[in-house]
Amino acid sequence: MKYEPAPDLLKDRVILVTGAGDGIGRTAAKSYARHGATVILLGRTVSKLESLYDEIVESGGPEPGIAPMDLVQTSAAPMLELADVINDRYGRLDGLLHNAAILGKLMPFETYDPNEWMQVMQVNLNSVFLLTRVMIATLRKSPDARIIFTSSGVGAKPRAYWGAYSVSKYAMEGLAKLLALEMANTSSIRVNILNPGGTRTRMRAAAFPQEDPLTLKTPAELMPLYLYLMGPDSKGEQGKTFNPDWLAG
Ligand code: NAP
């Protein structure tokens, strides 16, 4: 689908982006701000969030919020504090992009390191559950909220040696579909899954070091889909999985 987002598509919307400091999350946060959203930048490396904050402000976007959080350690308490801050400052949350993830080390299942397993599950699945659970009440205050869960091809078809990353994305897709069912008739929250496919980022380079990054699409090329699923035009979408084919279709 050739989608051309209105310049003010996300005007007055408040959107929380996890893993906003780098890669696809950074580009999505900038793109959301460029289309009028107040973005709350959640990530673990404060310097990256600060430089993104500066970029957004210098380009004339609404002043973002910064939420430093290391999702590998985080329990519900700091997330509840963040929800309180969002409620006090904005009165609602209109969008949540679950983007942060780690690949973990690729290794055979038989020798998969249990600590690695726990860390990947913590960032890619448990923190996603916790943050969603904590933010639902604030999302319900929006008249038209969106949650996007970022998956991967290996969340629908496993790839040997991808261990916890693949399993975490399978489970996250299950979480998203379950939540979509529960939200469908009880709220105006739309819940969908986005698989960006191979994209030129640091994670992709770690997974495929032999690959020429210039052969891959950039995060910017994905933005029409990220905007569509975060904005009012996707009101009719619920519990679906999107990938870049949508952009070509
Ligand atoms: P990336 O370049 O590695 O960026 C990941 C972001 O998540 C970074 O900002 C990183 O923060 C943040 N993050 C990682 N661990 C965190 C933690 N413990 N707490 C808080 N933030 C944390 O990855 P990407 O390629 O943009 O991937 C974005 C999403 O797309 C992920 O969900 C990934 O699974 C999915 N995906 C990507 C591809 C691809 O080809 N790139 C393909 C399929 C799916 P720091 O910058 O501070 O490290």
Side-chain angles (χ1 to χ4, degrees):
M1 177 175 165
K2 178 123 183 64
Y3 178 64
E4 285 180 13
D8 63 350
L9 183 83
L10 302 176
K11 188 172 181 308
D12 297 332
R13 294 196 180 219
V14 180
I15 297 170
L16 175 58
V17 177
T18 74
D22 212 331
I24 298 170
R26 187 178 183 98
T27 303
K30 269 198 282 194
S31 180
Y32 290 162
R34 201 176 311 121
H35 287 81
T38 298
V39 283
I40 301 160
L41 312 171
L42 188 154
R44 63 179 169 184
T45 308
V46 176
S47 57
K48 291 186 184 181
L49 302 179
E50 286 175 344
S51 74
L52 177 56
Y53 173 102
D54 290 344
E55 269 186 56
I56 290 172
V57 170
E58 278 160 22
S59 64
E63 185 181 10
I66 291 186
M69 210 178 277
D70 185 347
L71 296 170
V72 87
Q73 297 163 349
T74 300
S75 59
M79 294 181 183
L80 283 163
E81 274 174 38
L82 177 60
D84 285 345
V85 171
I86 293 172
N87 275 318
D88 290 349
R89 197 170 299 169
Y90 310 108
R92 70 189 189 288
L93 185 63
D94 302 295
L96 170 55
L97 172 60
H98 285 296
N99 163 81
I102 51 174
L103 181 63
K105 293 193 188 78
L106 305 186
M107 59 186 111
F109 182 85
E110 280 174 278
T111 54
Y112 205 94
D113 176 36
N115 279 336
E116 192 76 27
W117 184 276
M118 300 301 174
Q119 291 203 0
V120 174
M121 286 298 182
Q122 177 63 21
V123 176
N124 297 7
L125 179 65
N126 297 336
S127 80
V128 170
F129 157 70
L130 277 178
L131 190 62
T132 311
R133 165 78 179 73
V134 162
M135 291 296 164
I136 289 267
T138 316
L139 286 157
R140 278 190 182 276
K141 293 182 180 170
S142 164
D144 190 33
R146 301 283 179 273
I147 308 177
I148 303 175
F149 290 87
T150 311
S151 192
S152 158
V154 300
K157 185 168 185 251
R159 186 177 290 135
Y161 312 120
W162 280 49
Y165 180 82
S166 181
V167 173
S168 69
K169 295 293 190 182
Y170 261 83
M172 196 213 63
E173 290 206 11
L175 186 166
K177 287 175 188 168
L178 176 141
L179 184 65
L181 289 176
E182 295 190 12
M183 291 297 111
N185 298 321
T186 65
S187 77
S188 57
I189 303 174
R190 299 288 176 269
V191 180
N192 290 290
I193 297 165
L194 197 169
N195 166 17
T199 308
R200 200 184 306 166
T201 68
R202 200 186 41 165
M203 181 189 284
R204 177 75 187 191
F208 296 94
Q210 75 290 1
E211 185 175 64
D212 176 1
L214 295 177
T215 61
L216 296 168
K217 66 181 172 311
T218 62
E221 290 173 66
L222 290 164
M223 288 307 118
L225 180 51
Y226 278 78
L227 287 160
Y228 172 69
L229 288 177
M230 194 50 86
D233 296 327
S234 56
K235 201 171 181 60
E237 314 286 9
Q238 185 72 285
K240 296 186 189 164
T241 302
F242 292 80
N243 63 47
D245 290 348
W246 181 88
L247 292 163

